[in-house]
Amino acid sequence: MKKDLEIWVFGDHRNDPQDRLTLQVLGQARSLSSEKGKVTAVLLGHQVEEIAKKYAAHGAHRILLVDHPELASYRTDLFPPIISDLIQEHKPEIFLVGASDFGKELASRIAKRLGVGLSADCVSLDWDEKRETLVASSPAFGGSFLAHIAWNIRRPYMVTVSPGILPERPYDKAAYGEIVKVEKNLRDIPSKINVISSVREPHQTAKLEEAKIVVTGGRGVKNSEGFNHIRELALLLGGEVGATRPAVDAHWTSHEQLIGQTGKSIKPELLITCGTSGAVQYTAAIRGSGTIVAINRDPNAAIFKVADFGVVADAPSFLPTFITEVKNHLFREIANLYRTQVKGGVDRKSISFGQRIKKLREDRKMNVADLAEKTGQPPEFIEQVESDSLIPPVSFLLQLSQALTIDPSNFLTEQEKMEIDGKRQEGYVKRTQNYSYRTLTPGAADKHLRSFMVTIEPREKHKMVEYKHPGEEFIFVYKGELELTLGSKVFHLKQGETIHFDSETKHKLRNISDEKCELIVTLYTP
């Protein structure tokens, strides 16, 4: 006969009601306990009585509620000692915590305090009636096997339960759960933390399950830098980022992006899966996808069995080149739409230049102000371009290419290049006509690279030439001492020192010495 178990569940209510993990763990606790067993939810917070009632409606027989203003946000100095004291006082046999990053941190701290074992990322729990012990199952060897975990004699059995494994119990408004308010004197708990403020970061990711395009990264992307290629490609394609268990466990991305048996099932129109081996837990969750493109260096990888297109290549080496090709295709499309609009206006039957710019902005999760800043234009200008009420100058293509980090030289016509070169020559003339500029590159008015000697009188500000140009600027202090204000930052440069920056960043130069300051300024424009 099954032992009547006292099972505790930690109540993580930080993202209520979106996060259902605690409710899933409550469901697991109820199925594990016998009819006479008791499931207790441990809830720490401030003014969370409604959360306590919800836990009762989802299966908790009892809720131990510690209510205090200092517990409104998670505190590593307060939560572990409070929960450890409650466990030592009441001695439950099992303590379950949801296996979020937060839950894993909290559980490990409590287990250390209690001196008990902790089984992590478990996908099932069973009670061995013969041995009267808990047995947990946890994925091992990259998810290829399930390891069965047992404990020593010290109690409680502590487990973190993976999300998305077990269903929550249906909400039962009539269910009764005793809410026990526990008084704790927090002054008795030593603390060196003073919380000044707490701000929740806005969550801007769309639902992975609803995405039309998904780019997924696995163990084969190797590190967080490699996973950044996944993010960049998803951003370019207007898609969402997915991940397999190894990428999530390595903290390259969050659990919200996990695809698989313990995560989400997806059905995008296009799935690009990079560095994923094709474990059955993952492939079962992507079978509803339209077109699957797989990238893996192992030609025998299981992922190729479900892919429509396969690329045998090392993902971290292949992705930068692939991303460059995607950027080039994107810019080529934009440039062609621009020329169509310049020649004959907007074709209402197909996407227009303005509509494509708007889609580009929205795909990259930018607002109008963001694109305006990246292209050096006012927001009103961007709004007019997107509504096709304004045909921008060709230099706007150059600004777009810089925002996308694309070399536009392969996609601009000779006439467009001449227009941009005219801008270069205009800037060159304006600079060389100014008293403080002396050219070091005669005859380079239409070249990409030009240099000047700039002189600033003692304790004077540099008289800037009002010509804004895209590209990079390099400043070398040949003589004297310079103060450079770059945006909101101030730099002090002495003789022999150099700095380079985006030419379109607002900058001011000032001589802070008692002698003339001479600079070698080199300009690069695409």
Side-chain angles (χ1 to χ4, degrees):
M1 183 175 180
K2 181 186 285 189
K3 184 176 180 179
D4 297 332
L5 299 173
E6 172 76 12
I7 304 175
W8 281 20
V9 173
F10 172 70
D12 180 5
H13 58 88
R14 295 167 306 135
N15 298 315
D16 184 79
Q18 289 82 12
D19 190 348
R20 317 293 292 184
L21 180 53
T22 297
L23 304 183
Q24 295 169 11
V25 180
L26 279 171
Q28 169 68 37
R30 281 296 300 266
S31 64
L32 188 63
S33 67
S34 65
E35 294 181 1
K36 294 181 180 180
K38 179 181 286 187
V39 174
T40 297
V42 182
L43 179 60
L44 278 61
H46 183 50
Q47 298 179 344
V48 289
E49 287 82 0
E50 291 302 316
I51 302 292
K53 294 177 182 177
K54 177 184 288 188
Y55 290 166
H58 281 279
H61 297 111
R62 180 179 63 168
I63 297 91
L64 294 182
L65 173 60
V66 186
D67 190 302
H68 195 283
E70 291 290 327
L71 302 176
S73 298
Y74 172 60
R75 294 273 298 271
T76 57
D77 56 335
L78 298 180
F79 276 50
I82 290 174
I83 297 173
S84 299
D85 288 347
L86 288 173
I87 290 174
Q88 289 175 328
E89 179 183 351
H90 295 272
K91 301 188 184 308
E93 287 158 301
I94 300 173
F95 183 48
L96 307 179
V97 181
S100 61
D101 287 344
F102 163 73
K104 292 176 185 178
E105 177 190 348
L106 177 66
S108 60
R109 290 175 180 271
I110 295 172
K112 173 64 176 177
R113 283 178 170 271
L114 298 176
V116 301
L118 171 64
S119 182
D121 297 308
C122 293
V123 297
S124 69
L125 299 172
D126 294 294
W127 184 259
D128 186 330
E129 295 185 31
K130 184 177 180 180
R131 294 184 176 88
E132 290 194 347
T133 185
L134 184 69
V135 178
S137 298
S138 180
F141 299 101
S144 301
F145 299 92
L146 282 178
H148 297 296
I149 314 293
W151 281 258
N152 60 19
I153 60 174
R154 293 184 64 86
R155 298 292 174 268
Y157 303 105
M158 281 195 63
V159 179
T160 60
V161 181
S162 291
I165 298 298
L166 297 164
E168 61 191 66
R169 287 171 65 90
Y171 182 89
D172 184 0
K173 187 177 181 180
Y176 173 75
E178 180 187 11
I179 299 177
V180 180
K181 294 188 177 180
V182 180
E183 298 295 331
K184 282 289 181 181
N185 187 355
L186 302 190
R187 294 180 181 178
D188 295 338
I189 302 175
S191 173
K192 297 181 180 180
I193 297 175
N194 181 25
V195 179
I196 298 174
S197 65
S198 177
V199 179
R200 186 183 296 273
E201 182 179 0
H203 178 62
Q204 298 180 341
T205 305
K207 285 188 176 181
L208 193 59
E209 305 96 312
E210 300 174 0
K212 293 183 178 180
I213 299 174
V214 174
V215 182
T216 300
R219 190 195 305 275
V221 302
K222 294 184 179 178
N223 50 40
S224 57
E225 183 179 350
F227 203 86
N228 284 336
H229 295 318
I230 302 297
R231 294 188 178 92
E232 186 177 4
L233 182 57
L235 202 62
L236 279 170
L237 298 174
E240 295 297 328
V241 173
T244 58
R245 170 62 68 183
V248 172
D249 287 347
H251 300 284
W252 301 336
T253 189
S254 71
H255 191 278
E256 293 178 349
Q257 271 64 59
L258 178 62
I259 298 172
Q261 182 183 357
T262 58
K264 299 174 180 177
S265 294
I266 60 172
K267 46 183 179 181
E269 295 175 6
L270 171 65
L271 170 65
I272 302 178
T273 179
C274 312
T276 58
S277 61
V280 65
Q281 295 95 332
Y282 173 65
T283 56
I286 65 173
R287 290 194 180 277
S289 304
T291 301
I292 300 177
V293 179
I295 302 166
N296 195 295
R297 66 179 181 179
D298 179 6
N300 299 314
I303 190 64
F304 290 128
K305 295 179 181 179
V306 298
D308 298 287
F309 299 93
V311 179
V312 179
D314 181 54
S317 302
F318 174 79
L319 284 173
T321 303
F322 183 51
I323 287 170
T324 298
E325 288 300 315
V326 173
K327 286 181 177 180
N328 290 344
H329 176 82
L330 176 62
F331 191 76
R332 187 181 295 110
E333 178 191 2
I334 290 172
N336 289 337
L337 287 172
Y338 175 79
R339 296 182 191 110
T340 299
Q341 186 161 347
V342 169
K343 293 178 180 178
V346 178
D347 182 1
R348 298 297 177 185
K349 295 182 180 179
S350 61
I351 188 170
S352 67
F353 174 75
Q355 291 169 339
R356 189 64 185 87
I357 297 302
K358 183 177 181 179
K359 185 177 186 303
L360 169 72
R361 173 177 62 76
E362 291 176 344
D363 284 348
R364 296 177 71 84
K365 297 178 174 61
M366 298 165 59
N367 56 35
V368 171
D370 293 333
L371 185 58
E373 181 180 356
K374 284 187 173 292
T375 56
Q377 300 290 347
E380 295 78 11
F381 177 91
I382 301 298
E383 290 174 348
Q384 288 179 307
V385 169
E386 290 186 356
S387 65
D388 292 312
S389 60
L390 170 70
I391 300 178
V394 69
S395 57
F396 183 65
L397 290 180
L398 194 61
Q399 293 158 348
L400 274 177
S401 70
Q402 288 184 310
L404 297 171
T405 61
I406 299 172
D407 180 4
S409 59
N410 296 325
F411 311 111
L412 297 176
T413 64
E414 292 303 318
Q415 181 179 351
E416 289 164 347
K417 290 178 182 178
M418 287 176 61
E419 289 183 40
I420 293 173
D421 287 342
K423 284 287 186 181
R424 291 197 189 102
Q425 190 160 4
E426 175 187 344
Y428 184 86
V429 170
K430 283 186 177 182
R431 287 183 182 273
T432 52
Q433 285 178 342
N434 188 277
Y435 72 96
S436 63
Y437 285 87
R438 179 162 57 89
T439 181
L440 300 177
T441 50
D446 59 347
K447 303 300 181 183
H448 293 278
L449 201 64
R450 299 163 326 276
S451 292
F452 306 88
M453 177 68 79
V454 176
T455 304
I456 309 176
E457 296 299 320
R459 302 291 174 182
E460 293 291 330
K461 294 181 180 179
H462 176 46
K463 181 180 178 183
M464 301 297 291
V465 175
E466 295 185 1
Y467 172 63
K468 189 176 181 182
H469 62 87
E472 291 186 89
E473 190 156 334
F474 299 78
I475 295 179
F476 173 78
V477 181
Y478 181 73
K479 181 180 179 182
E481 194 169 352
L482 175 72
E483 178 187 86
L484 168 64
T485 302
L486 190 60
S488 59
K489 295 183 179 180
V490 178
F491 300 87
H492 290 145
L493 302 176
K494 296 182 180 180
Q495 183 172 329
E497 295 182 334
T498 187
I499 191 172
H500 84 277
F501 51 90
D502 186 333
S503 300
E504 295 193 288
T505 304
K506 292 182 180 179
H507 53 281
K508 298 178 182 178
L509 310 178
R510 186 169 72 92
N511 184 352
I512 54 177
S513 65
D514 293 322
E515 60 177 343
K516 285 186 177 181
C517 181
E518 294 184 349
L519 314 171
I520 297 177
V521 178
T522 302
L523 306 178
Y524 169 76
T525 54

